[in-house]
Amino acid sequence: MAGTTTAAPGSGRVKSGIKGLDKLIDGGFPQDSIIVVSGTPGTGKTIMGLQFLYEGAKNGEMGIYVSFEQEKKDIYRQAAQFGWDFAALEKKNLIRVFSMWPTSFDEVISKIFKCLYYKPKRLVVDSITSIAYTMRDNKEAFHKMVEKLKDTNLTAMLTSEMLDRDKGFTRDGVSEFVSDGLIILRSVEAAGEHKNLLRVEKLRSSRINKESHIYQISSNGISLTAPPPG
Ligand SMILES: Nc1ncnc2c1ncn2[C@@H]1O[C@H](COP(=O)(O)OP(=O)(O)OP(=O)(O)O)[C@@H](O)[C@H]1O
Ligand SMILES: [Mg+2]
């Protein structure tokens, strides 16, 4: 049943809500998959999470946003900038936003799983880097969390911080391996101009376009710039 309203008929795909992205990923995220969105600071990770939930809510799918970085009112404000009325959607039980302080790993996990009582179809955790520091043994803890999430009937987007100097794709160094999908956001400077680039690094059971694509953040949220024809 997960994601049935937004998946293309018979394909089991969950629409991302990001204009131009679904074309790169076989029509959307596979239902019930765990996607890591990793990016350098200020590249739009939070906005992408909000947009992903808004897309579901528009189609009647309940979504949960768990933030370890911002207060609830700030999340509402950020969503409202794009015309996404999270307060109204929360009243209709289509969105729930939880803001929490990362404490111990077990507490964080238990709090996240308590939120699933609302039976969401979509979940965003922003960011897993914030909770990585609560994990003594990162690798095992992440595995445990991802495996538990995979047993639930939802599609999850986990945001992750990346620094340009990092060797891997995420600061925790683990989530990129255990997730089903990995999207990388970067800001690059070329000929004195800044550009945002998105790349789909992996997505299990999907044909993907792995090229870098320019994206914009505007009053409509994040959208990929169509490549020139020809
Ligand atoms: N209405 C808007 N129009 C254009 N750009 C915007 C708009 N609102 C926000 N931005 C851009 O979005 C960026 C912030 O997006 P967001 O908070 O999602 O980034 P982030 O990757 O989550 O950042 P952080 O690493 O701090 O968590 C800002 O750098 C800003 O330039
Ligand atoms: Mg953010």
Side-chain angles (χ1 to χ4, degrees), residues 33-139:
S33 57
I34 314 291
I35 310 298
V36 168
V37 174
S38 192
T40 49
T43 44
K45 303 179 290 294
T46 297
I47 297 170
M48 189 174 278
L50 298 172
Q51 198 163 346
F52 169 68
L53 286 198
Y54 184 69
E55 174 67 25
K58 267 195 314 196
N59 295 292
E61 290 177 12
M62 208 272 159
I64 293 209
Y65 196 96
V66 177
S67 177
F68 292 104
E69 301 187 346
Q70 288 165 281
E71 294 203 24
K72 194 169 161 168
K73 64 173 177 7
D74 296 325
I75 307 265
Y76 277 29
R77 202 178 298 138
Q78 198 167 4
Q81 259 197 299
F82 304 100
W84 309 329
D85 190 346
F86 271 35
L89 291 167
E90 185 147 16
K91 282 198 190 101
K92 291 185 190 162
N93 269 325
L94 286 168
I95 296 268
R96 293 255 160 202
V97 177
F98 297 91
S99 166
M100 44 184 99
W101 182 249
T103 46
S104 70
F105 177 70
D106 287 339
E107 200 183 328
V108 162
I109 294 300
S110 117
K111 278 184 177 167
I112 291 177
F113 281 87
K114 258 190 203 146
C115 298
L116 304 189
Y117 156 84
Y118 295 99
K119 302 250 179 293
K121 293 292 176 216
R122 298 179 183 224
L123 167 74
V124 174
V125 178
D126 187 21
S127 72
I128 48 169
T129 312
S130 309
I131 58 176
Y133 300 113
T134 69
M135 302 179 194
R136 278 187 302 278
D137 182 349
N138 252 352
K139 198 167 178 143

